[in-house]
Amino acid sequence: MTSIDTTDKPFRIEKRQVYEAYKAVKANHGAAGVDGETLEMFEKDLARNLYKIWNRMSSGTYFPPPVRAVSIPKKTGGERVLGVPTVSDRIAQMVVKQMIEPDLDSLFLPDSYGYRPGKSALDAVGVTRQRCWKYDWVLEFDIKGLFDNLPHDLLLKAVRKHVKCNWALLYIERWLVAPMEKNGAVIERTRGTPQGGVVSPILSNLFLHYAFDVWMTRTHPDLPWCRYADDGLVHCRTEQEAQALKAALQARLAACGLQMHPIKTQIVYCKDNRRRKRYPTVKFDFLGYQFRPRQVATAQQDEFFCGYTPAASPTALKSMRATIKSLNIPRQTPGTLAEIAKQINPLLRGWIAYYGRFSRSALFSLADYVNRKLKAWIMRKYKRFRFHKTRASQFLRQLARDNRGLFVHWQAFGTNLFA
């Protein structure tokens, strides 16, 4: 797109901003919206489509179409409804996000980790790990349906306080009330911001900055906390302190139009098994990791002690195994191991990079599961191994020794895990 801008538009938006937003949307991929247009279809007439977005946004005539409602299963059961904008609308939202993010992000406090440049879920897990060693109790809280229930009046009050760009304000207001289309029916929206929208994460962060972060810093300055989107933790010194905080936070969220999740919110005793054994809740899941007492080796690897540490949660491991199972590796006998490796290595690489940061040994069971699927593939592929599990295992072990670089989990864990 040309960078030359006309000056007869009420809003000054550079064409380069629209193009940069398109590149960010392309990198994030994403499904089609209500119009059925995919990113590939949009790109067939890229220059014209980008010009239309720029022209409408610059003139103030851009109105977002409805978002497409998509139900996806939660790992913990139930369903979550995502609102999928059209490709054009995702680009328009990205233009606004990239405009407002630098100023808003500078407001946010260090212990807010979700959806922020330069911060990650692993950072949040790491700081929580350290604090669990120093504080005996944790209040783990979850906000029920955060994205669906944000009250527009309070959210816009915060937005107007900090967003001074007139056209960004205009389009944020329009996105908040854009309807949702589900099974052909158009549903009007009076609260919330669609989970799946490009601007939704930063808007929810701004809301919780005031609803929780600033409130917590003002009312309980001596208690460390950590928040990733709607999942949060506060470390407390006593059970009584945690109980009092839970009641206060519940009232605070209610005053802000939100509800503390009655099941996912809990008070946890986070010390090793040698102390207070009778407390009923001694573990919690946070960002795919489970924190609980477990056996830990010393730095010299010559002794073990019971410590309170994170490792990949059973729920996360179950989800990873389900993903591997869905690939139906044993039945891919027309192909080769190299083709299977090309298919699963990106998955394994991502899982090991994330879940292998802390308590890497928790992934041994996943590596073993993948090896068992590969052994089943060998037994179906080659007649000489069809009824000989032991020989198939030996063959796979030797393959791993000779071709350790073929699979990511062979590189990470070696050949010691073969059954």
Side-chain angles (χ1 to χ4, degrees):
M1 294 181 67
T2 177
S3 59
I4 299 174
D5 300 316
T6 57
T7 57
D8 60 347
K9 303 290 186 183
F11 300 130
R12 180 175 177 79
I13 302 174
E14 295 182 5
K15 293 177 180 176
R16 174 60 58 180
Q17 290 174 266
V18 179
Y19 183 66
E20 293 298 326
Y22 151 73
K23 289 197 297 183
V25 167
K26 180 179 174 67
N28 292 333
H29 306 293
V34 293
D35 59 359
E37 184 179 48
T38 64
L39 189 61
E40 291 74 21
M41 294 164 64
F42 181 89
E43 290 174 330
K44 288 181 178 178
D45 197 359
L46 181 62
R48 181 171 175 270
N49 286 331
L50 292 180
Y51 178 84
K52 283 164 56 179
I53 296 171
W54 170 81
N55 188 44
R56 291 173 183 173
M57 292 188 74
S58 298
S59 62
T61 60
Y62 180 83
F63 288 89
V67 294
R68 181 169 66 93
V70 177
S71 298
I72 61 171
K74 294 182 180 179
K75 291 181 180 179
T76 54
E79 289 187 337
R80 174 184 291 111
V81 177
L82 295 184
V84 181
T86 64
V87 174
S88 293
D89 198 43
R90 290 206 295 276
I91 294 170
Q93 289 191 39
M94 186 64 75
V95 171
V96 171
K97 175 182 179 288
Q98 292 180 339
M99 165 63 70
I100 67 176
E101 186 172 60
D103 289 337
L104 292 186
D105 192 73
S106 66
L107 297 171
F108 299 153
L109 301 183
D111 280 313
S112 170
Y113 290 90
Y115 312 123
R116 294 185 61 189
K119 287 183 174 287
S120 72
L122 285 174
D123 293 334
V125 173
V127 75
T128 298
R129 172 173 171 260
Q130 294 175 353
R131 289 168 178 170
C132 282
W133 297 339
K134 300 176 183 177
Y135 292 80
D136 288 0
W137 299 88
V138 162
L139 170 63
E140 179 200 9
F141 68 91
D142 181 275
I143 300 170
K144 187 174 182 180
L146 170 67
F147 286 92
D148 296 331
N149 293 301
L150 288 174
H152 287 174
D153 56 343
L154 292 178
L155 175 57
L156 286 172
K157 182 179 178 181
V159 170
R160 290 171 184 142
K161 179 178 180 180
H162 297 289
V163 176
K164 302 306 179 184
C165 174
N166 289 336
W167 55 267
L169 275 173
L170 174 68
Y171 294 126
I172 288 171
E173 292 175 2
R174 289 179 184 176
W175 279 313
L176 287 178
V177 297
M180 182 172 286
E181 186 175 301
K182 187 173 184 180
N183 299 325
V186 176
I187 304 167
E188 299 298 324
R189 293 173 42 250
T190 57
R191 58 193 299 116
T193 178
Q195 188 167 359
V198 174
V199 296
S200 295
I202 195 167
L203 294 180
S204 66
N205 254 350
L206 177 61
F207 188 92
L208 288 180
H209 171 74
Y210 286 107
F212 175 76
D213 303 356
V214 172
W215 173 82
M216 189 70 204
T217 305
R218 183 179 70 249
T219 59
H220 300 84
D222 54 339
L223 298 182
W225 55 271
C226 170
R227 182 178 63 78
Y228 193 97
D230 54 348
D231 293 327
L233 306 164
V234 183
H235 298 266
C236 301
R237 291 159 293 210
T238 66
E239 182 182 4
Q240 293 73 22
E241 190 172 56
Q243 292 283 7
L245 177 63
K246 180 182 177 182
L249 179 56
Q250 189 168 13
R252 170 63 179 177
L253 292 176
C256 296
L258 299 175
Q259 182 184 355
M260 181 184 284
H261 199 292
I263 298 174
K264 295 181 181 179
T265 299
Q266 59 180 351
I267 293 172
V268 184
Y269 181 68
C270 57
K271 285 297 178 184
D272 58 51
N273 280 334
R274 293 172 294 182
R275 300 164 60 191
R276 201 170 179 111
K277 293 183 179 179
R278 295 182 181 177
Y279 193 77
T281 308
V282 295
K283 60 186 178 182
F284 64 92
D285 287 4
F286 184 51
L287 301 176
Y289 276 83
Q290 184 170 90
F291 289 73
R292 66 170 176 83
R294 63 182 84 238
Q295 199 175 55
V296 181
T298 61
Q300 294 75 26
Q301 300 290 316
D302 56 356
E303 286 185 51
F304 288 89
F305 66 96
C306 187
Y308 199 88
T309 56
S313 71
T315 301
L317 288 167
K318 181 179 178 181
S319 176
M320 287 183 266
R321 288 193 299 270
T323 300
I324 294 296
K325 183 179 180 180
S326 70
L327 301 177
N328 217 347
I329 291 170
R331 294 191 175 274
Q332 296 188 32
T333 49
T336 65
L337 275 181
E339 291 170 341
I340 294 174
K342 186 176 181 181
Q343 190 177 12
I344 69 172
N345 273 346
L347 296 171
L348 296 172
R349 189 174 293 111
W351 291 334
I352 293 171
Y354 185 80
Y355 294 104
R357 176 73 65 88
F358 305 102
S359 303
R360 190 181 179 93
S361 60
L363 295 177
F364 287 175
S365 62
L366 174 67
D368 177 67
Y369 183 78
V370 175
N371 284 339
R372 283 188 276 131
K373 292 298 181 184
L374 295 176
K375 184 174 73 172
W377 178 86
I378 288 170
M379 292 176 69
R380 289 179 65 92
K381 176 84 170 179
Y382 304 108
K383 290 182 180 180
R384 67 183 185 274
F385 297 124
R386 189 150 296 172
F387 303 106
H388 301 281
K389 289 185 178 180
T390 302
R391 287 172 58 192
S393 294
Q394 293 171 345
F395 179 74
L396 184 62
R397 186 183 296 112
Q398 190 59 49
L399 268 177
R401 287 172 179 163
D402 297 340
N403 305 273
R404 188 164 176 175
L406 183 59
F407 286 96
V408 168
H409 69 296
W410 289 357
Q411 299 171 40
F413 302 113
T415 59
N416 299 322
L417 302 173
F418 286 87

